[in-house]
Amino acid sequence: MTTTDEQLDMTNLSMADVALKFPQALGILQKYNLDYCCGGKKPFAEVCRKLDVDPATVWNEIMQVQSNHESYNRMNFNSWDVPLIIDFILQHHHEYVRSSIPQIQQLIDKVCDAHGADSPNLLFLRDDFRNLSEALLDHLPKEENVFFPAMRSLFSRKSQQHPEADDSKYLAFPIEAMEHEHENAGELIKSIRNLTQNFTPPAHACPTFRMMYVMLEQFDNDLMQHIHIENNILFPKAKMQSIN
């Protein structure tokens, strides 16, 4: 890739384009709090500037990672078939969300009981995580019981070349609803990042306090990949079926 091509890409790609074109660089986007999930449709350079981040600095880091092929260990979800993507989401992300929420909630409650009087932000953190948990636990069954089965059925019939089964437009409204719920979850996780100063524990933090931040950051990373796969890969594949 030449310098001219790099500059052209940087100025014309959306956040989702960057995440899909350079999946090995997602850690860089997360480091700068650049939203490639819920805000994936926004221009890369514009998102950087709104956060007072130099787009060229981020782009150069992405190019460095791109040139180091040995560091590439990300799975290329965009090349996967829809049923495989759905299986991965269910087995990897949905199971993680359900198993980790009680553990994190327990840690937050303990830390709030011990330090909440001296650190009011912890109480806001507990409210945000509780709201996020409730939203996700309400969201997952909608995908599992309605949306994912509809997608499996659609792509199965498409692969069998049943033209009479072209009901992909039926998915347009559910996709819009899922994206809206993803945006709400994204706003809550951004608030949690701010309240925790990007999961940086204070110097006086006890081991429980520090573990809470570690698990919250892991939850954040998992959620970002979860939403990225759905918003930027799975949903576009469904929309593409309505065109073909």
Side-chain angles (χ1 to χ4, degrees):
M1 181 178 292
T2 67
T3 302
T4 302
D5 290 335
E6 292 174 6
Q7 293 300 322
L8 180 64
D9 283 344
M10 183 181 73
T11 57
N12 289 281
L13 293 180
S14 68
M15 288 301 305
D17 291 333
V18 173
L20 292 171
K21 188 175 181 64
F22 310 111
Q24 68 274 34
L26 295 187
I28 295 172
L29 300 181
Q30 289 173 203
K31 180 179 74 172
Y32 288 101
N33 288 323
L34 299 173
D35 182 5
Y36 58 89
C37 302
C38 303
K41 298 177 183 178
K42 297 179 181 178
F44 167 76
E46 176 185 315
V47 172
C48 289
R49 293 190 183 100
K50 283 188 176 181
L51 291 177
D52 293 325
V53 175
D54 179 21
T57 297
V58 181
W59 189 254
N60 287 336
E61 290 189 32
I62 293 173
M63 290 299 100
Q64 288 177 354
V65 172
Q66 170 70 5
S67 64
N68 183 5
H69 297 291
E70 292 182 0
S71 69
Y72 181 76
N73 58 3
R74 294 273 182 175
M75 290 177 282
N76 184 10
F77 297 106
N78 203 34
S79 68
W80 292 12
D81 291 335
V82 164
L84 182 58
I85 295 174
I86 292 174
D87 287 342
F88 180 85
I89 292 171
L90 292 173
Q91 296 170 17
H92 184 78
H93 293 297
H94 285 206
E95 289 188 12
Y96 172 80
V97 168
R98 288 193 170 99
S99 65
S100 62
I101 281 177
Q103 300 173 38
I104 296 174
Q105 190 64 64
Q106 185 178 35
L107 286 172
I108 292 176
D109 288 340
K110 286 183 178 180
V111 173
C112 283
D113 290 343
H115 304 283
D118 300 324
S119 304
N121 274 1
L122 290 172
L123 304 180
F124 294 119
L125 168 64
R126 178 164 61 183
D127 289 341
D128 278 351
F129 187 76
R130 184 171 293 149
N131 290 335
L132 177 61
S133 300
E134 292 174 355
L136 290 174
L137 293 176
D138 178 67
H139 177 82
L140 300 188
K142 296 176 185 177
E143 292 187 339
E144 295 166 354
N145 301 325
V146 180
F147 182 66
F148 287 168
M151 284 204 69
R152 287 186 191 276
S153 177
L154 170 65
F155 278 81
S156 174
R157 291 180 300 202
K158 283 282 188 177
S159 65
Q160 296 170 16
Q161 297 182 343
H162 288 184
E164 71 277 8
D166 187 11
D167 58 355
S168 53
K169 292 183 180 179
Y170 162 78
L171 294 175
F173 178 76
I175 287 175
E176 183 178 347
M178 296 295 101
E179 289 177 332
H180 178 69
E181 293 184 6
H182 288 169
E183 289 178 8
N184 291 338
E187 290 303 313
L188 285 168
I189 202 67
K190 287 177 185 177
S191 177
I192 290 173
R193 289 176 198 159
N194 291 332
L195 290 169
T196 61
Q197 296 184 345
N198 288 319
F199 311 107
T200 305
H204 67 270
C206 64
T208 302
F209 202 137
R210 293 178 183 277
M211 178 56 66
M212 177 187 73
Y213 272 35
V214 168
M215 293 195 69
L216 280 170
E217 186 171 16
Q218 291 173 347
F219 193 89
D220 181 352
N221 291 337
D222 180 86
L223 185 62
M224 290 304 96
Q225 185 188 63
H226 185 172
I227 296 176
H228 166 59
I229 293 172
E230 293 188 357
N231 277 15
N232 299 332
I233 299 174
L234 187 63
F235 296 167
K237 285 179 180 289
K239 293 174 182 177
M240 186 62 66
Q241 286 288 10
S242 65
I243 298 175
N244 296 335

